[in-house]
Amino acid sequence: MTEAEAWRTVDKVSKYKFKPGDKILFRGGDIFNGNMNFDNDEGTDFDPIRITSYGVGKAILQTNSGSCISIINNGGFIIYNLEIKGLYDPDKDYSINTGKPYSGITVYSYAKKKCYNIFIIDCIIRNFRNSGISIGGDKNPEYGYTFVKAEKNSIYNCGDIGIFIWGLVYQNIQIIGNTIHNIKGLNPHPHGFSGNGISLSHIYNAVVERNLIFNNGLYAKRSGGGVVTGESKNIYVRYNEIYGIKSNDVDGDAIDFDNGSDSCIAEFNYTHQNEGAGYLISGENKGSGSDYNIIRYNISKNDGLKNDHGVIKIYSLKGADNNRIYNNTVITTSIGKNSPSCLKILGPTSNTLIENNIFISVNSAKLIDIDNSKQTNLILKSNAYFVKDGMFIAIVSNNTFRSYDEFIKITGFENYNSVHTGITENPKLKDPFTIRDTINNPYNLYTLTAYQLYSFSPLVNAGTQILDIFSKAETDFFGNKLTIENPPDIGAHEY
């Protein structure tokens, strides 16, 4: 088809049956109103159907109801270089009872077949009430989608969720290099939580990497988070920058491994100025426990800005077992009546290891807050504790300790095999209290040199070798290779 023969509206697109390898091209800079539904079309692994712009700039696809692009019971689609726009105003229409639910791109399959290859790349997606991208499928591992990629998209000014992927058990999901912000939340929300940047439910084998997520959850009664997983396994969340997540009631966390999230890893992330926790492992009574998760080599600066959150937090009503938290650098500040803690554990856990972390309290923020009466084999060893501008505060089983010596003497923490392992000296980080907090580029996290150790730091070679249960760290936060020749350093930087 030539440009002179081109369709003038999107109506014919939905009525036409496309074949593998077909291209649907929209002229860059033009606006196209309506909805496109693909329910009898299918690309292949090698010949996907492509939907994109041609000419100069991105074409603008716009709708005020329903999803702008819907793909039903089929795979083999690449959507790229488009602007996809709704008419939802998150500052006016955030009530759940206002407006019709609709998303930018919706992909789902309940067909009894496996669908492959959904790629959404380099698109601007904005002003949708429900989500920017929603991809879902049958929970049966024989069906649903596999090989799903959302990469280098900009998603903003939406209501409920930026990217929502659900029901794709035993699939391979890649969410890489996206910018997701101002997902402001619905209020009230039928599922309780709203305003998530990335939400994964019933997902196995996913990578969430190099995403910039900020300023979400403003209007949600119960705030969501930056990256939230539930009933999922083998999720790698790494090299993301997440900040400005709101906490109007509970949550509002940067990274949340929630109900039934097992064998997930949060590593090399930079979280800061979030009102909820920086890193949460949660097993609630309505779901299942979250076990065998790892939080390691992350940097957190002033998370837990509201509701007395823990920066690194385990919240367990159902149980949370065999989780490991190590080599993180955590700085938190008490502001006004809010009293956050570097580490908070609430509810029953077993075999939890807290090792090689730097915990820094500013203005008398709590270093530790643990419900110790419900812990089985909780180990704290080789952690560094430092207080700036305030007093030492640690709470265990409702007992408040005002000194490190009292804390370790009564609790027995930091004493392992009759050897004292904790450190309370100044960690000698280069400039940990710098006001430069926002990078706004997850590909440049290596520039956060303020949180590196000086060569004369007492934390160099002062840690404990980590014997991971299922996954070994290969580098520190800054990409320095880890070895087993010497004891590791404490914190997220290996000098």
Side-chain angles (χ1 to χ4, degrees):
M1 180 182 295
T2 66
E3 186 170 355
E5 299 171 317
W7 299 328
R8 301 303 178 189
T9 69
V10 300
D11 293 340
K12 289 188 177 181
V13 175
S14 297
K15 297 175 182 178
Y16 189 84
K17 180 173 176 57
F18 292 93
K19 299 177 181 179
D22 281 348
K23 296 180 180 179
I24 304 167
L25 306 178
F26 296 88
R27 187 165 62 189
D30 287 358
I31 298 175
F32 300 86
N33 291 291
N35 310 90
M36 288 182 287
N37 301 306
F38 300 92
D39 58 3
N40 63 348
D41 315 83
E42 185 175 14
T44 68
D45 291 2
F46 301 103
D47 289 308
I49 296 170
R50 300 173 186 268
I51 308 173
T52 187
S53 303
Y54 74 92
V56 179
K58 287 178 167 61
I60 301 171
L61 309 184
Q62 182 172 282
T63 182
N64 62 0
S65 65
S67 294
C68 193
I69 299 176
S70 297
I71 299 169
I72 304 170
N73 295 334
N74 284 304
F77 280 82
I78 300 178
I79 302 170
Y80 64 102
N81 192 32
L82 293 168
E83 180 172 348
I84 299 171
K85 179 183 177 184
L87 298 181
Y88 173 78
D89 185 342
D91 293 314
K92 293 181 180 180
D93 303 326
Y94 56 82
S95 170
I96 189 69
N97 298 314
T98 301
K100 296 180 180 179
Y102 60 117
S103 300
I105 299 173
T106 297
V107 182
Y108 70 88
S109 175
Y110 287 111
K112 300 301 181 182
K113 65 177 182 178
K114 181 74 77 176
C115 297
Y116 295 86
N117 294 333
I118 297 292
F119 298 157
I120 303 170
I121 301 171
D122 189 26
C123 291
I124 297 171
I125 305 172
R126 61 188 180 97
N127 296 95
F128 289 93
R129 179 179 174 275
N130 274 25
S131 55
I133 298 172
S134 176
I135 303 175
D138 200 308
K139 296 177 184 178
N140 188 323
E142 296 180 4
Y143 309 127
Y145 286 93
T146 191
F147 301 119
V148 172
K149 177 181 288 189
E151 183 174 9
K152 295 182 180 179
N153 301 290
S154 177
I155 302 172
Y156 60 97
N157 285 353
C158 293
D160 192 17
I161 302 172
I163 297 177
F164 182 30
I165 303 184
W166 51 276
L168 310 180
V169 176
Y170 292 112
Q171 312 308 312
N172 295 299
I173 314 298
Q174 296 181 11
I175 305 176
I176 300 174
N178 302 280
T179 298
I180 304 171
H181 63 99
N182 291 312
I183 311 300
K184 296 190 175 181
L186 304 177
N187 185 2
H189 190 275
H191 303 298
F193 299 90
S194 186
N196 292 335
I198 297 171
S199 182
L200 304 178
S201 176
H202 296 88
I203 304 298
Y204 284 17
N205 305 325
V207 174
V208 180
E209 181 175 288
R210 302 287 186 185
N211 299 284
L212 175 63
I213 304 172
F214 61 96
N215 293 351
N216 295 337
L218 177 62
Y219 299 124
K221 181 178 180 180
R222 305 187 73 186
S223 304
V227 178
V228 181
T229 69
E231 300 293 340
S232 298
K233 293 185 179 181
N234 301 333
I235 312 297
Y236 283 76
V237 182
R238 58 196 186 196
Y239 299 111
N240 302 283
E241 181 179 5
I242 305 173
Y243 67 90
I245 308 300
K246 307 304 179 185
S247 180
N248 296 321
D249 182 9
V250 294
D251 285 277
D253 314 302
I255 297 172
D256 178 2
F257 294 150
D258 220 299
N259 292 342
S261 293
D262 299 331
S263 303
C264 299
I265 297 178
E267 60 184 0
F268 318 130
N269 300 286
Y270 176 44
T271 63
H272 57 97
Q273 279 78 40
N274 296 291
E275 293 185 354
Y279 306 86
L280 173 65
I281 298 172
S282 177
E284 298 186 24
N285 58 350
K286 294 182 180 180
S288 57
S290 294
D291 309 320
Y292 293 98
N293 299 292
I294 294 175
I295 298 172
R296 66 187 180 197
Y297 288 100
N298 302 283
I299 295 175
S300 167
K301 175 73 173 294
N302 288 339
D303 291 321
L305 290 176
K306 199 172 180 182
N307 300 327
D308 297 338
H309 277 291
V311 173
I312 297 179
K313 181 178 179 181
I314 300 178
Y315 175 71
S316 172
L317 297 178
K318 189 73 174 180
D321 305 320
N322 301 297
N323 293 292
R324 293 195 168 197
I325 298 168
Y326 64 88
N327 283 99
N328 301 283
T329 297
V330 176
I331 302 171
T332 190
T333 303
S334 181
I335 301 174
K337 295 182 179 180
N338 183 58
S339 181
S341 49
C342 293
L343 172 69
K344 187 169 188 175
I345 302 178
L346 180 61
T349 75
S350 65
N351 302 321
T352 301
L353 272 65
I354 314 294
E355 304 170 292
N356 298 350
N357 301 284
I358 300 174
F359 295 136
I360 298 177
S361 160
V362 181
N363 196 26
S364 299
K366 296 188 291 288
L367 289 155
I368 302 292
D369 188 352
I370 297 175
D371 179 4
N372 194 44
S373 64
K374 298 180 180 180
Q375 309 307 315
T376 302
N377 194 31
L378 170 62
I379 296 175
L380 276 71
K381 64 179 179 180
S382 300
N383 297 290
Y385 306 83
F386 181 66
V387 176
K388 180 181 184 296
D389 299 333
M391 64 181 71
F392 182 101
I393 301 176
I395 300 175
V396 180
S397 296
N398 296 319
N399 296 312
T400 300
F401 303 102
R402 301 291 183 178
S403 73
Y404 176 76
D405 290 341
E406 182 186 26
F407 166 63
I408 62 172
K409 180 180 179 180
I410 301 300
T411 66
F413 293 139
E414 299 298 341
N415 293 302
Y416 190 73
N417 291 336
S418 300
V419 176
H420 178 243
T421 62
I423 293 178
T424 57
E425 299 176 60
N426 187 322
K428 301 298 183 182
L429 297 171
K430 290 184 177 180
D431 190 13
F433 308 110
T434 176
I435 61 173
R436 180 176 181 260
D437 289 316
T438 304
I439 301 298
N440 273 337
N441 187 343
Y443 291 90
N444 288 343
L445 297 185
Y446 66 90
T447 64
L448 288 164
T449 55
Y451 306 99
Q452 291 182 346
L453 301 172
Y454 281 113
S455 61
F456 49 85
S457 166
L459 308 190
V460 174
N461 294 340
T464 300
Q465 285 290 355
I466 303 296
L467 301 176
D468 272 323
I469 297 173
F470 68 94
S471 175
K472 182 176 178 59
E474 296 182 357
T475 72
D476 71 353
F477 178 92
F478 298 94
N480 299 310
K481 188 174 181 179
L482 303 177
T483 69
I484 59 173
E485 296 176 359
N486 298 306
D489 300 344
I490 295 175
H493 174 228
E494 182 73 13
Y495 182 80

